[in-house]
């Protein structure tokens, strides 16, 4: 049985979910957060669906064992296979949040950038078209390298120049030739380099699903009577199957607050 002081679980293939943690800490500072980043297996976006489902179930079990009251799937790629991952608490999908935010806009042409897996699933175009009251064109672009580059490049001028080269390679066509009215950042790693995207494409409206996710989470906690009533600010406990030092550094670079610990957790073995 969920109780209000239990933590909120946040999971991703890597540090991308930090963009979601950031929005949740801003909107719901009293909540305890438990983060799992599967650094050993990133990028998920280039795996097949069976592998992604197995890896996702492993993380779901981790969260279930720690009795989180709500689970934020802060990974668009996993969100595409959510119907195959069961858990007993309410689950929030990054793709649903991004599609909800895009469908509300009064625009004609929506761009979506995502991992290759999310792109191939067509979930974003289908959801946005189904939910939008207008006739909207959705252009989707799958980026094979961007999440991995972001994961390892924050704070490094050399790395960030590779990120920006890659952004240009992936986005120029959609933004400069197709002239999309907005761009959904359909991988949670991408909001972490939103400043670079804004600099490369001034005036392009960016949609960060994390903002919508945090808002939907707050509504759910209020509605279900699950908001943490404790007066003091909540902590953030991070687990990773990757490099603990790197995760601690990235958490600082992203500006996450009240990190109570960063610990290693053994990765699932892939045959
Ligand atoms: N951050 C993840 C997403 O939102 C995926 C990055 C990856 O592992 O490929 O899709």
């Amino acid at each position: 049985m969920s109780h209000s002081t239990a933590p909120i679980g946040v999971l991703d293939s890597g540090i991308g979910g930090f963009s979601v943690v950031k929005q949740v800490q801003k909107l719901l500072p009293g909540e305890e957060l438990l983060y799992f980043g599967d650094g050993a297996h990133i990028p998920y976006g280039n795996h097949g669906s069976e592998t992604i489902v197995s890896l996702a179930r492993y993380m779901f079990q981790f969260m279930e064992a720690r009795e989180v009251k709500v689970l934020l799937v802060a990974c668009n790629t996993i969100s595409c296979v959510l119907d195959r991952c069961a858990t007993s608490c309410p689950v929030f999908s990054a793709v649903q949040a991004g599609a909800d935010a895009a469908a509300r806009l009064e625009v004609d042409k929506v761009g979506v950038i995502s991992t290759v897996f999310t792109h191939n699933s067509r979930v974003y175009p289908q959801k946005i078209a189904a939910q939008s009251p207008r006739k909207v064109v959705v252009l989707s672009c799958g980026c094979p390298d961007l999440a991995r580059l972001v994961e390892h490049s924050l704070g490094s001028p050399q790395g960030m120049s590779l990120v920006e080269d890659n952004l240009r390679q992936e986005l120029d066509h959609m933004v400069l030739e197709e002239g999309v009215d907005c761009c959904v950042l359909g991988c949670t790693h991408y909001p972490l380099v939103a400043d670079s995207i804004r600099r490369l494409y001034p005036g392009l409206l960016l949609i960060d699903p994390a903002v919508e996710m945090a808002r939907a989470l707050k509504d759910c906690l209020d509605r279900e009577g699950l908001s943490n009533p404790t007066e003091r600010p909540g902590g953030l406990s991070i687990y990773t199957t990757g490099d603990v030092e790197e995760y601690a550094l990235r958490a600082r670079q992203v500006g996450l607050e009240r990190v109570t610990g960063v610990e290693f957790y053994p990765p699932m073995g892939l045959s």
Side-chain angles (χ1 to χ4, degrees):
M1 179 71 182
S2 295
H3 56 93
S4 53
T5 53
I8 292 168
V10 185
L11 57 80
D12 181 42
S13 62
I15 62 156
F18 285 178
S19 62
V20 173
V21 170
K22 198 163 179 174
Q23 297 301 332
V24 174
Q25 286 195 321
K26 205 188 284 178
L27 197 63
L28 298 163
E31 297 296 336
E32 288 293 330
L33 300 178
L34 175 61
Y35 189 90
F36 191 114
D38 193 9
H41 296 118
I42 188 177
Y44 274 26
N46 300 344
H47 287 302
S49 60
E50 291 310 314
T51 305
I52 295 170
V53 168
S54 304
L55 294 170
R57 285 180 180 157
Y58 184 75
M59 286 198 273
F60 270 56
Q61 278 159 15
F62 172 94
M63 291 296 179
E64 186 92 56
R66 282 152 189 83
E67 300 185 336
V68 297
K69 61 181 174 183
V70 172
L71 181 56
L72 303 183
V73 178
C75 175
N76 291 260
T77 308
I78 297 175
S79 299
C80 296
V81 296
L82 265 192
D83 53 336
R84 298 178 60 191
C85 305
T87 190
S88 56
C89 67
V91 175
F92 286 77
S93 141
V95 170
Q96 190 60 53
D100 287 347
R104 271 203 304 272
L105 295 175
E106 296 200 352
V107 294
D108 300 315
K109 222 181 214 190
V110 176
V112 180
I113 51 169
S114 70
T115 64
V116 171
F117 186 88
T118 302
H119 165 74
N120 287 341
S121 77
R122 310 301 298 161
V123 173
Y124 261 114
Q126 282 161 11
K127 278 190 185 289
I128 295 171
Q131 285 174 229
S132 176
R134 306 156 62 89
K135 187 154 175 42
V136 67
V137 173
V138 183
L139 300 180
S140 168
C141 169
C143 311
D145 291 329
L146 193 49
R148 184 188 54 80
L149 283 173
V150 173
E151 177 95 3
H152 301 298
S153 302
L154 293 184
S156 140
Q158 245 177 338
M160 285 306 292
S161 118
L162 292 176
V163 166
E164 296 196 2
D165 287 348
N166 195 265
L167 281 168
R168 267 193 226 99
Q169 187 184 313
E170 303 293 3
L171 275 172
D172 269 6
H173 177 74
M174 185 183 264
V175 180
L176 305 179
E177 289 168 44
E178 292 287 351
V180 291
D181 300 311
C182 63
C183 182
V184 179
L185 304 178
C187 165
T188 49
H189 283 73
Y190 306 165
L192 302 177
V193 294
D195 287 348
S196 295
I197 304 176
R198 285 195 194 94
R199 206 171 39 252
L200 292 172
Y201 306 103
L204 176 65
L205 175 61
L206 300 182
I207 301 169
D208 177 358
V211 176
E212 180 67 26
M213 257 186 132
R215 212 179 291 137
L217 168 66
K218 183 174 185 316
D219 287 351
C220 167
L221 296 181
D222 289 346
R223 200 177 50 241
E224 304 294 327
L226 280 175
S227 299
N228 194 325
T230 321
E231 296 281 309
R232 62 182 159 69
L236 165 63
S237 172
I238 299 174
Y239 287 83
T240 178
T241 59
D243 184 332
V244 168
E245 298 299 321
E246 188 178 24
Y247 269 63
L249 173 67
R250 298 285 177 245
R252 283 197 298 279
Q253 287 170 326
V254 170
L256 302 187
E257 297 183 39
R258 302 180 295 280
V259 178
T260 53
V262 184
E263 287 179 46
F264 178 76
Y265 190 77
M268 191 187 103
L270 278 183
S271 44

